[in-house]
Amino acid sequence: MKKLLNTLYLTQEDFYLTRERDNIVIKQDGKVLNRFPYRIIDGIVCFSYLGASPSLIELCAENQINLSFHTPQGRFCGRFVGPTNGNVLLRRQHYRLADDVESLDFAKRFMLAKISNSRKYLLRFKRDHRDRVDVKLFEEIDNELVWALENVQVAQDKEMLLGIEGQAANQYFRAFNDMVLSDKETFRFNGRSRRPPLDCLNALMSFGYSLLTYECQSALEAVGLDSYVGFYHTDRPGRAGLALDLVEEFRSFIVDRFVFSLVNRGQLTAKHFEIKENGSVLLTEKGRAVFIENWQKRKHTEVEHPFIKEKVKLMLLPYVQAQLLAKAIRGDLDAYPPFLV
C-alpha cells in the first residue's frame, strides 16, 4: 500500500519553487520562505504563475514526486511526467481494451459508481436534515436515480450511457439549493457551469474536482496505467480520460460532501469569492487557503473500503482503485470493482 505522505500546495501567484541539495525550497521575490526535505513530500500542486526551476523538476522526476501546475483559480494547466513506470504489457492490454467492445463494461462500472454514490449521498443528507429539506423533492430525485442505475446496466453503447449520465446529473443537481443550509443567497446554485464557474458553489466544485483529478491521475500513473486513455471519456488531446473516468466514482463522496460541509459550517462566506467582469466567480487567495487547509485535514480521514474490507485513508482511495483497475485489465480479477459507498 502506498504511504500517504504530504502534498505541498503553493497557493500564492508569486511563489517560485527551486532546489537546494535535498530540499524543496519556496521563494518569493528571491527570498527563501520555507524549505522541505523531498523525502516527506509525495506531491506538489502549484497555483503560481512563476513555476519551478529545472533542478527542482529533476528532483521530482528522480523521486516520483508528482508535480502539477494550475492557474491561481484552480484550472489544471499541466503535469510534469518523468520516466514511465509500470509494465509495458499492462499498458498494451490497457490500450487493447480501450479500443475493444469490452471498454463499455468498464464505462458502465464507472457510471454505476457515480450515480449510486450520488444517490446514497442524497439519501444520507435527507436522513440527517429531514426537517430542513424538501423531502418530496429528494424522493422524486431518488426515483429518477434508481431509474438511471437500472438503465446503465442495459445500455447498448456509450452514447446511451452518456445520455443516462446527463439525465442523472441534472436530477442530482436539483437538490443542491436545498442542501445549502446557511447563507442561501451567497451559495445559490444556478445549474452546473464549468468554464467559467458562474456561482460560488460551482467555483468550489470546480476547484475540488481539479484537486481530485490530480490525485486520480497520480494514482493511475503510479500503477503503470496511461491516465490519458479512458474507457468512458474518449481520447482528446490534452485530456486525461482515464483519470476523469476514475474521478466519476469519487465526485459526490470526496468533493461534494466536502464542499457542502465547508458551506454549511460557515467556513467559507461571500468574502472568500470574487466576481470577474465576464461573470465568472472565483475563490480568492484566502478562500483557496481555507479550502486547501481543510482538504489536507480530510485527506487523513479513514474509511473502510467495501471491496478489500480494510480501513484506508480517504485520499488513498484513488490508489486502491487504480490498483484494482490494473488487476482487472491484466485479468487477475473477473471484473473491475468500482468504489461504492
Side-chain angles (χ1 to χ4, degrees):
M1 181 63 64
K2 177 183 169 67
K3 184 179 180 181
L4 185 61
L5 298 175
N6 297 297
T7 302
L8 180 62
Y9 293 91
L10 274 72
T11 60
Q12 290 195 208
E13 299 178 21
D14 58 349
F15 280 177
Y16 181 70
L17 277 170
T18 188
R19 170 187 183 175
E20 288 181 2
R21 294 184 293 278
D22 289 342
N23 292 314
I24 295 168
V25 179
I26 303 172
K27 289 186 176 182
Q28 186 180 41
D29 297 327
K31 297 179 181 178
V32 174
L33 296 182
N34 215 330
R35 53 170 54 85
F36 304 91
Y38 78 85
R39 293 179 182 83
I40 68 169
I41 303 294
D42 68 354
I44 301 173
V45 183
C46 186
F47 297 94
S48 165
Y49 280 128
L50 298 184
S53 70
S55 61
L56 185 280
I57 292 174
E58 180 184 34
L59 179 69
C60 292
E62 290 172 346
N63 296 282
Q64 290 80 52
I65 298 172
N66 299 300
L67 175 62
S68 70
F69 297 95
H70 306 248
T71 68
Q73 293 74 39
R75 182 173 59 82
F76 178 73
C77 295
R79 177 172 173 268
F80 179 77
V81 179
T84 302
N85 297 316
N87 190 324
V88 66
L89 299 179
L90 171 63
R91 293 195 298 278
R92 282 182 176 275
Q93 180 64 4
H94 174 190
Y95 300 146
R96 280 193 287 266
L97 289 175
D99 289 335
D100 194 83
V101 292
E102 289 184 67
S103 66
L104 179 61
D105 181 66
F106 285 92
K108 285 182 177 183
R109 290 172 181 275
F110 290 125
M111 285 303 102
L112 284 170
K114 176 182 181 177
I115 298 170
S116 175
N117 291 340
S118 297
R119 174 177 177 256
K120 288 176 182 176
Y121 176 44
L122 293 184
L123 290 173
R124 176 176 176 171
F125 199 95
K126 182 187 73 170
R127 182 196 68 202
D128 292 346
H129 305 283
R130 192 176 185 87
D131 57 335
R132 303 181 68 181
V133 301
D134 184 342
V135 172
K136 184 177 180 182
L137 172 64
F138 275 66
E139 290 174 350
E140 289 176 1
I141 296 171
D142 182 50
N143 289 333
E144 294 293 333
L145 295 183
V146 170
W147 171 89
L149 288 170
E150 292 171 350
N151 280 272
V152 163
Q153 297 179 68
V154 297
Q156 299 298 308
D157 52 48
K158 292 179 186 177
E159 287 70 26
M160 290 181 64
L161 206 55
L162 185 64
I164 296 165
E165 182 207 5
Q167 293 182 56
N170 289 336
Q171 292 298 321
Y172 175 62
F173 292 140
R174 285 176 62 199
F176 272 33
N177 280 319
D178 256 38
M179 294 165 71
V180 176
L181 304 179
S182 61
D183 199 358
K184 286 182 175 289
E185 189 58 37
T186 296
F187 294 101
R188 181 169 299 280
F189 184 70
N190 301 310
R192 184 74 176 108
S193 53
R194 296 171 177 79
R195 296 183 179 178
L198 299 176
D199 58 51
C200 295
L201 268 185
N202 272 293
L204 292 173
M205 291 162 64
S206 292
F207 192 72
Y209 294 153
S210 180
L211 296 180
L212 177 59
T213 301
Y214 158 81
E215 300 285 355
C216 290
Q217 192 170 5
S218 299
L220 292 164
E221 297 286 350
V223 301
L225 293 170
D226 188 334
S227 64
Y228 285 86
V229 179
F231 293 113
Y232 179 62
H233 290 84
T234 54
D235 295 349
R236 185 182 299 173
R239 182 167 78 172
L242 191 62
L244 294 177
D245 286 351
L246 194 56
V247 163
E248 300 293 2
E249 301 184 28
F250 299 113
R251 284 185 188 273
S252 60
F253 184 68
I254 291 181
V255 176
D256 298 350
R257 286 178 59 177
F258 176 69
V259 164
F260 281 107
S261 175
L262 290 178
V263 168
N264 291 331
R265 290 178 180 174
Q267 291 169 287
L268 288 171
T269 62
K271 68 181 182 181
H272 293 112
F273 299 86
E274 57 180 331
I275 302 176
K276 298 294 188 180
E277 291 182 2
N278 65 351
S280 61
V281 180
L282 305 173
L283 277 163
T284 63
E285 182 182 310
K286 178 63 176 175
R288 292 195 298 272
V290 171
F291 192 107
I292 287 171
E293 179 184 0
N294 286 278
W295 179 265
Q296 285 285 70
K297 291 177 182 176
R298 188 158 188 259
K299 285 172 72 169
H300 293 270
T301 303
E302 286 193 338
V303 298
E304 182 170 317
H305 192 281
F307 185 77
I308 66 174
K309 303 299 182 183
E310 294 180 13
K311 287 200 170 183
V312 178
K313 289 184 188 283
L314 191 72
M315 216 48 75
L316 287 180
L317 288 175
Y319 288 91
V320 175
Q321 291 307 121
Q323 290 168 347
L324 293 173
L325 183 58
K327 287 178 179 292
I329 289 172
R330 283 196 298 263
D332 297 339
L333 293 174
D334 292 336
Y336 170 62
F339 178 77
L340 295 169
V341 178

